[in-house]
Amino acid sequence: MARIGVFVCHCGTNIAGTVDVKYVAEEMSKEKGVIISRDYKYMCSDPGQNIIKEYIRLYKLDRVVVASCSPLLHERTFQNTVKEEGLNPYLMEMANIREQCSWVHKDRAEATLKAIELIKMSVAKVRMNEPLFPKRIPLERKALVIGGGISGMQAALDIAMVGHPVILVERAPSIGGRMAQFDKTFPTLDCAACILTPKMVDVRSNPNIRILTYSEVESVEGYVGNFEVKIRKKARSVDMSKCTGCGECMQKCPSRVDSEFDLGLGKRKAIYIPFPQAVPNVPVIDRAHCRFFTQGKCKVCQKVCPAEAINYEQTDEIITEKVGAIVAATGFDLSDPNDYSEYGGGRYKDVINGLQFERMINASGPTEGHLKRPSDGKEPKTIVFIQCVGSRDENLGRPYCSKMCCMYTAKHAILTKEHIPDAQVYVFYIDIRAAGKNYEEFVRRAIEQYGANYLRGRVSRIFEKNGKLIVRGADTLLRSQVEIEADMVVLATALVARSDAIKVAQMLGIPYDQNRFFTEMHPKLAPVENVTAGIYLTGACQAPKDIPDSVASASGASVKVCVLFANEELISDPMTAQINPALCSLCKTCVDLCPFSAIVEEEVKRPDGQTQRQMRVIDGVCHGCGACVASCRPGAITLKGYTDQQIFSEIESLASNF
């Protein structure tokens, strides 16, 4: 017969304030198979754990039940406690009498009775428990970082510095991401390129980092430690091994199209690099606008290239790589101005967004750092900035705050006054959210030192009249209507998830929220981890983040990768599903339902030499969620640690009291 010890925790007054803990311990001592039952104020503390160890030795216990808080918090703690005394960790059960009793009941008698029933169920289950043993799986100590923005680069550098190889995949022709489009950064007004480009050079020169630009991840298969990734390396039509970056081809190219990097405010050639400091400094041919690819003639770039690097025959290449961990740093998009009909819906040339303002004010931008109205090229004297455009708006389905709009609008106000000292600057705001180091002071500086006029209220309408933009809104502090004749309006548009965020999430097997941002495992305790083991999140793919937060989360994710790579093998949790081939009907319902793609079909050889198809659970991928168990009609799948017998024993224990 099993020798069970029951240990009931007070959790200070968290449990003892509602549950009569001493009475519970006394009642449990009467349960069949329970050798010892006692209570203690903090069972998770060192003295509490020592009590468990002491009684295991003293009473030769072979099963333990701890009645305390959620297993999510302390199951590992108590598993390690019993393990130190030679017990298999899976011969320990936890009864959650805090979240399920004391925190949800006010009546002490009812809470106490419920606690007793829950512990009895755990005692019934632990009697049926069998020892479980983790498995060791091989580990590929190479990482993949998806996204070459500031957070992706930081993660790649941190992992590479420890000595692990990293593949950095970026869909654009150059790494750098959104930050490469900025002019200055808040609150220090550092030149964005001056602090970004050294980081880009570090990435390029690090021997452990392999940069794949103009490339996209096509598929991800496998599991933690053993991902197999297919990467499409798109045809640049330029041989990177021959190109010297002289730029002759770009100068002679006759085709000019709108520049994506300058958000349509400037032009680029059909063969181009996105910006002067691009890494790699190798141009790419935009085949959709190249005269040779669209009309079958031209080849000017090939004729003038002294390195003979132009290769029109180049095709896309699929690269297969095996990696042990993946960091998703896919960044963000800006909301579409067409969503805001009250602000012109994209009809007025002089209504631009914040990122377009960044490009305009940047020395390498389309106006070479001069503020000019897009409609006529004249210098604007009155500029209106409107915050929270698309953010905090239930009507547009975006109730969240884009977090950084208050700060970059203050930056724009300061930069406007520095470029045009006699300009009038108005900022419409709902409220100011400046929660960051020196952020509040920065906003005050825009108001007090630079004279930006902050108007608390919303803009109801923008329309054109006599060559001016009429901005009509309300000042809620003065309780009056406001109408401003503006030369230019800048919208602080919402930060939104990437347009292909759902596709990427499904490919990586990671969840996303109602706003299509990727969801971390736990917002406080596991902010860069994911339910899919081996995949980590960083940057604005999770939610709007500014540069400091993006860099911090990148370093957090890279530390998690390095911890994963600290051992040569992975130890998998043994509480996984298992399939009895004799009962399996090969209906494959479990395959469709498994959220982690942990069940595969394989061909095996029977003892008589014949082969047969059967389903198999990949231990390293299975999370033990039990979805497959519930769906298996023949009952061929069981979950280790949660067999039918164990579940029925708990139900019988509960039912015996009624």
Side-chain angles (χ1 to χ4, degrees):
M1 177 180 287
R3 299 177 63 82
I4 304 169
V6 176
F7 301 90
V8 187
C9 181
H10 292 234
C11 196
T13 57
N14 272 315
I15 295 174
T18 309
V19 175
D20 187 342
V21 175
K22 291 191 176 299
Y23 175 71
V24 170
E26 289 172 12
E27 285 298 301
M28 292 314 304
S29 64
K30 303 170 186 174
E31 196 68 5
K32 180 183 175 184
V34 174
I35 307 300
I36 179 68
S37 176
R38 67 157 296 176
D39 61 287
Y40 187 70
K41 195 168 185 179
Y42 291 106
M43 204 56 81
C44 60
S45 65
D46 277 349
Q49 293 181 57
N50 288 335
I51 288 172
I52 297 174
K53 293 177 188 175
E54 181 185 347
Y55 280 90
I56 289 175
R57 288 194 301 270
L58 190 61
Y59 292 97
K60 301 187 186 312
L61 303 178
D62 58 12
R63 302 281 194 282
V64 167
V65 172
V66 180
S68 57
C69 54
S70 166
L72 186 66
L73 296 178
H74 276 304
E75 186 175 52
R76 190 69 67 192
T77 303
F78 296 119
Q79 283 183 334
N80 289 333
T81 302
V82 302
K83 186 179 178 182
E84 289 176 17
E85 288 304 312
L87 278 185
N88 185 284
Y90 298 92
L91 297 177
M92 189 282 304
E93 284 291 329
M94 285 187 73
N96 183 358
I97 62 171
R98 190 179 71 176
E99 283 83 344
Q100 295 181 9
C101 294
S102 61
W103 280 6
V104 293
H105 291 287
K106 293 182 179 178
D107 187 285
R108 186 174 177 84
E110 286 185 358
T112 302
L113 184 61
K114 184 177 178 181
I116 292 171
E117 297 303 334
L118 287 176
I119 301 171
K120 283 183 177 178
M121 291 171 69
S122 294
V123 170
K125 182 171 183 283
V126 82
R127 288 196 198 102
M128 309 296 291
N129 282 13
E130 297 289 338
L132 298 176
F133 301 94
K135 290 186 177 180
R136 293 181 179 276
I137 54 179
L139 170 66
E140 181 71 34
R141 293 198 284 183
K142 183 197 295 183
L144 170 72
V145 177
I146 306 174
I150 183 63
S151 58
M153 288 193 296
Q154 185 65 49
L157 279 170
D158 288 344
I159 298 168
M161 283 177 66
V162 182
H164 301 302
V166 181
I167 301 170
L168 178 60
V169 177
E170 168 57 48
R171 70 170 64 178
S174 169
I175 58 174
R178 292 288 184 197
M179 190 174 169
Q181 296 175 286
F182 299 164
D183 178 51
K184 287 185 168 53
T185 59
F186 59 79
T188 53
L189 293 183
D190 289 322
C191 166
C194 298
I195 56 178
L196 177 69
T197 50
K199 191 80 73 178
M200 294 166 65
V201 172
D202 287 347
V203 171
R204 182 187 61 190
S205 58
N206 193 306
N208 286 326
I209 299 178
R210 180 184 174 194
I211 302 174
L212 295 177
T213 53
Y214 210 48
S215 304
E216 290 191 62
V217 177
E218 290 267 299
S219 66
V220 175
E221 295 179 351
Y223 50 93
V224 56
N226 297 274
F227 293 107
E228 187 173 287
V229 183
K230 284 187 168 56
I231 304 166
R232 178 178 292 275
K233 193 176 176 185
K234 292 182 281 189
R236 280 184 107 89
S237 305
V238 177
D239 189 333
M240 295 183 70
S241 63
K242 293 181 180 177
C243 180
T244 60
C246 67
E248 192 72 20
C249 54
M250 293 182 284
Q251 291 179 16
K252 302 296 183 183
C253 177
S255 298
R256 287 170 61 82
V257 296
D258 286 344
S259 167
E260 302 88 352
F261 192 77
D262 289 331
L263 294 105
L265 294 177
K267 300 287 185 182
R268 63 163 171 80
K269 299 295 184 67
I271 181 167
Y272 70 102
I273 57 172
F275 54 99
Q277 306 94 331
V279 172
N281 186 29
V282 176
V284 58
I285 292 181
D286 175 3
R287 294 188 175 190
H289 296 96
C290 172
R291 290 189 181 182
F292 173 73
F293 285 102
T294 57
Q295 302 172 18
K297 56 184 180 182
C298 186
K299 291 192 175 183
V300 168
C301 53
Q302 190 179 56
K303 293 171 188 170
V304 301
C305 179
E308 298 182 348
I310 305 299
N311 180 5
Y312 299 117
E313 306 299 324
Q314 202 176 63
T315 58
D316 290 0
E317 183 183 357
I318 302 295
I319 300 170
T320 302
E321 291 284 345
K322 192 171 182 182
V323 299
I326 298 173
V327 178
T330 52
F332 65 92
D333 279 335
L334 288 177
S335 58
D336 189 344
N338 294 322
D339 293 344
Y340 321 117
S341 57
E342 68 271 34
Y343 303 143
R347 296 192 306 277
Y348 307 134
K349 285 187 175 181
D350 296 329
V351 179
I352 62 175
N353 65 34
L355 197 53
Q356 287 176 312
F357 185 90
E358 291 278 353
R359 294 309 306 148
M360 192 181 291
I361 211 164
N362 191 298
S364 65
T367 58
E368 298 180 339
H370 299 294
L371 276 177
K372 295 179 179 178
R373 284 165 41 114
S375 61
D376 55 14
K378 293 181 180 176
E379 188 175 81
K381 293 296 184 183
T382 304
I383 301 179
V384 174
F385 295 89
I386 305 174
Q387 295 188 177
C388 297
V389 178
S391 304
R392 306 169 70 188
D393 192 336
E394 294 278 1
N395 295 327
L396 291 173
R398 298 190 204 101
Y400 61 87
C401 171
S402 286
K403 194 174 179 180
M404 64 188 79
C405 308
C406 292
M407 295 308 302
Y408 76 65
T409 298
K411 178 186 73 175
H412 289 170
I414 291 174
L415 293 178
T416 298
K417 296 290 285 185
E418 288 187 346
H419 280 69
I420 311 173
D422 60 340
Q424 291 295 312
V425 173
Y426 298 91
V427 179
F428 281 89
Y429 71 101
I430 298 175
D431 51 30
I432 301 296
R433 298 187 173 184
K437 187 175 182 181
N438 298 324
Y439 283 12
E440 178 67 21
E441 296 90 327
F442 187 73
V443 175
R444 299 305 312 172
R445 187 176 160 197
I447 298 171
E448 295 168 1
Q449 292 186 24
Y450 288 85
N453 300 297
Y454 272 64
L455 305 173
R456 183 180 174 184
R458 277 192 176 277
V459 170
S460 59
R461 190 182 169 205
I462 298 174
F463 57 95
E464 280 187 329
K465 186 177 179 182
N466 301 326
K468 294 278 188 178
L469 291 166
I470 308 300
V471 181
R472 184 175 290 168
D475 187 332
T476 56
L477 293 179
L478 296 177
R479 297 183 179 179
S480 63
Q481 294 293 316
V482 177
E483 196 168 281
I484 300 171
E485 284 191 2
D487 296 315
M488 194 163 73
V489 174
V490 183
L491 307 179
T493 48
L495 273 66
V496 298
R498 286 280 192 187
S499 57
D500 61 348
I502 294 178
K503 179 184 172 186
V504 174
Q506 291 172 343
M507 178 180 68
L508 297 175
I510 56 180
Y512 51 90
D513 61 20
Q514 69 273 24
N515 301 311
R516 297 184 291 115
F517 288 115
F518 299 161
T519 305
E520 57 281 330
M521 180 182 284
H522 192 286
K524 298 180 184 68
L525 303 180
V528 298
E529 295 168 79
N530 193 265
V531 293
T532 301
I535 294 181
Y536 305 94
L537 307 176
T538 177
C541 65
Q542 288 179 276
K545 286 181 186 172
D546 58 17
I547 295 170
D549 284 353
S550 296
V551 171
S553 68
S555 293
S558 57
V559 166
K560 292 294 180 183
V561 172
C562 293
V563 169
L564 181 71
F565 289 175
N567 298 306
E568 294 187 355
E569 291 181 315
L570 290 176
I571 299 175
S572 67
D573 193 325
M575 298 182 79
T576 57
Q578 57 184 356
I579 299 175
N580 183 347
L583 298 177
C584 179
S585 63
L586 292 177
C587 68
K588 300 179 187 176
T589 303
C590 54
V591 176
D592 296 332
L593 284 178
C594 179
F596 306 103
S597 302
I599 303 177
V600 295
E601 185 180 9
E602 63 181 8
E603 192 172 86
V604 296
K605 202 169 185 178
R606 297 188 312 202
D608 61 3
Q610 299 294 315
T611 58
Q612 69 174 44
R613 311 291 300 176
Q614 70 176 38
M615 310 307 295
R616 181 174 69 86
V617 176
I618 305 171
D619 288 334
V621 184
C622 180
H623 283 56
C625 68
C628 55
V629 181
S631 69
C632 185
R633 281 170 288 186
I637 309 178
T638 55
L639 186 62
K640 297 175 191 173
Y642 286 93
T643 63
D644 288 349
Q645 292 81 2
Q646 289 171 305
I647 301 298
F648 282 133
S649 66
E650 289 184 283
I651 296 172
E652 287 171 2
S653 169
L654 183 64
S656 64
N657 296 312
F658 296 97

